[in-house]
Amino acid sequence: LELLGRYQEAVENYETMLTLARERGDRLLEFEALVAQAIVRSTPNQVFDAELSDRLNQEALELAQELDQKPVEARILWNLMLRQMWGKFYYPGAVEYGEAAMKVAREANLTDQLGKILNDLGSAYLGIGDPERALQTMEEARTLLEQEKNLPLLALNYTNSAMVFFFTGDSEMALQLLEKSQQIDRPINNVWGLAGSEFNLASIQIILGSWGEASARADESLSLSRDSKIEGMISTSYLTKAVFYAYIGQVEAGLALVQRAIPHVESMWTTMNWWPWSLMARFYLLDGDLSAAQEMVKKSASLLREDLPPTPILGPIEARLSLVQVHLAAREFDEASERLEELSS
C-alpha cells in the first residue's frame, strides 16, 4: 500500500494490527505495529504527523527496553534517524541516531536491517557535507540490499547515490545512476520512487540547461507525486518547475506555480516554508519590482534556518542566491559580497 501511495489505508492496517496485538497480549507484534506507524508518520507523505511520530517512537522505545531485543533497538534508532532527517531536517541528529543504529545492527549481525540503516545514513552524511562517507555508506548498503532483494530501497539507493555525484560535479554519473533507479522502479510500479528520481532528473537538467528535458521531467515528477499523494514531493515538484521558469524568464507562469506550492508546503513541509518566498523574490526581480523582491527575501530569510545545509536539495542554495541577487539589484554590494562569502564557506 505504501508503494502505491495509499498511506491512509496503510495506517489503518497498522492501527488494526496494534489493536489486535494488545488484545492478544503479543508484545512483539505490538512493537511491529508501533514502528510501522512511526515510520510512515515520520516521512513526507499525506499522513505525516511529527507529534504522533514522536509519541509512537517513545512507546516503541519503552517496549524495546522491556523486550531487551537488539533487532527492536536497531529499528527504533533507525526510525529516530528518519524523524531527524525528514521531520526536522536536522542532519547531525540523524547521523547520531543512524550511527547508533548501525552499531547495534553490526554487533548483533542484523544484516537485513543494516542495509536499510546504511541507506538512510548515507543521505544523512550528505546532509552534513561529507560526500565521500556518504558514497562509501551507500555502496555498502547497496550490496546488502541486493542480497536481500529489497528492490524499492535498492532503487532509492541509486537515486540517493546519484545526487551525491551531482553535488560533487559528476552529472554524467548521476544521470546513469538515476536511469538504473528507474529501471528497477518501473517494473514494480514504485510510484514514490519514480517521483523522486524524476524530481532529481529535473533538477540536474535545469543546471545543465537542457530546458525541454528539464520541463518534461518536472511535469512527470509532479504527476507521479500527485499519484503517490506525497505532499512534500508535490511541493518540491511545483517549486522545481518554478525554478525552471525562473531560468527561462517566464515570470507569470513561475509565480503561479509558487502560489500553488504554498498550501502543500504549509500543510506539512514547514521546514521548507522559506523556499516559495525566495523564488517569488527572483520572479519579482525579473519583473523589475525591487521593492516586492526585497519584501519576499526578507520573509524568506526570517524562515530559513541558519543550520540548514545546501544538501541534499538545492532549495537552501536557491534561497541564499536570491538574497544576493536582491542586494545586487539594490546596489548593496558589500552586503552581496558578504552573503556570497557565507554561501561559499
Side-chain angles (χ1 to χ4, degrees), residues 101-325:
M102 176 181 65
K103 183 175 184 292
V104 172
R106 289 196 193 281
E107 290 176 349
N109 196 30
L110 305 173
T111 55
D112 59 329
Q113 292 195 47
L114 184 58
K116 300 172 185 176
I117 292 166
L118 293 174
N119 212 34
D120 290 313
L121 182 56
S123 294
Y125 284 138
L126 179 60
I128 63 169
D130 193 342
E132 183 176 352
R133 193 187 298 184
L135 282 177
Q136 291 172 351
T137 305
M138 290 176 183
E139 286 171 6
E140 183 181 356
R142 189 179 310 142
T143 300
L144 294 170
L145 294 170
E146 287 172 344
Q147 292 173 359
E148 295 292 325
K149 295 181 171 55
N150 190 326
L151 297 182
L153 289 189
L154 180 59
L156 180 62
N157 179 282
Y158 279 118
T159 294
N160 292 342
S161 299
M163 297 316 292
V164 180
F165 281 105
F166 173 55
F167 283 119
T168 53
D170 193 341
S171 297
E172 183 177 349
M173 178 59 74
L175 292 172
Q176 291 176 15
L177 292 176
L178 286 169
E179 180 57 33
K180 285 186 177 182
S181 174
Q182 295 200 334
Q183 288 172 358
I184 296 171
D185 275 335
R186 287 193 189 101
I188 62 174
N189 194 32
N190 184 6
V191 179
W192 65 263
L194 288 168
S197 58
E198 289 290 348
F199 156 71
N200 286 310
L201 281 166
S203 298
I204 293 173
Q205 297 295 353
I206 288 172
I207 298 301
L208 295 178
S210 301
W211 306 126
E213 189 71 10
S215 180
R217 295 296 191 176
D219 288 342
E220 183 64 13
S221 174
L222 182 56
S223 175
L224 290 164
S225 298
R226 287 169 173 159
D227 290 342
S228 64
K229 300 180 177 64
I230 301 176
E231 290 292 321
M233 190 61 71
I234 292 172
S235 61
T236 51
S237 296
Y238 273 130
L239 295 173
T240 299
K241 187 61 181 285
V243 170
F244 162 76
Y245 281 132
Y247 273 95
I248 65 172
Q250 295 292 318
V251 174
E252 186 175 345
L255 282 173
L257 281 181
V258 174
Q259 293 288 356
R260 294 176 70 178
I262 288 174
H264 297 282
V265 174
E266 292 178 341
S267 69
M268 62 149 287
W269 208 236
T270 53
T271 47
M272 302 290 290
N273 57 5
W274 40 268
W275 195 3
W277 309 110
S278 67
L279 272 176
M280 290 178 74
R282 289 183 64 181
F283 286 115
Y284 284 127
L285 275 183
L286 287 170
D287 205 35
D289 191 340
L290 177 58
S291 177
Q294 288 173 323
E295 286 299 313
M296 293 301 100
V297 292
K298 183 179 179 180
K299 183 163 187 174
S300 176
S302 72
L303 298 169
L304 179 61
R305 280 176 18 210
E306 290 297 324
D307 66 327
L308 197 63
T311 58
I313 59 170
L314 291 173
I317 297 176
E318 295 282 351
R320 293 178 173 100
L321 283 176
S322 293
L323 184 57
V324 171
Q325 290 168 340

Side-chain angles (χ1 to χ4, degrees), residues 65-81:
Q65 293 169 344
E66 176 187 327
L67 295 171
D68 191 27
Q69 292 190 13
K70 291 299 181 184
V72 172
E73 184 180 355
R75 288 191 66 184
I76 294 175
L77 290 167
W78 171 50
N79 196 42
L80 289 168
M81 170 174 58

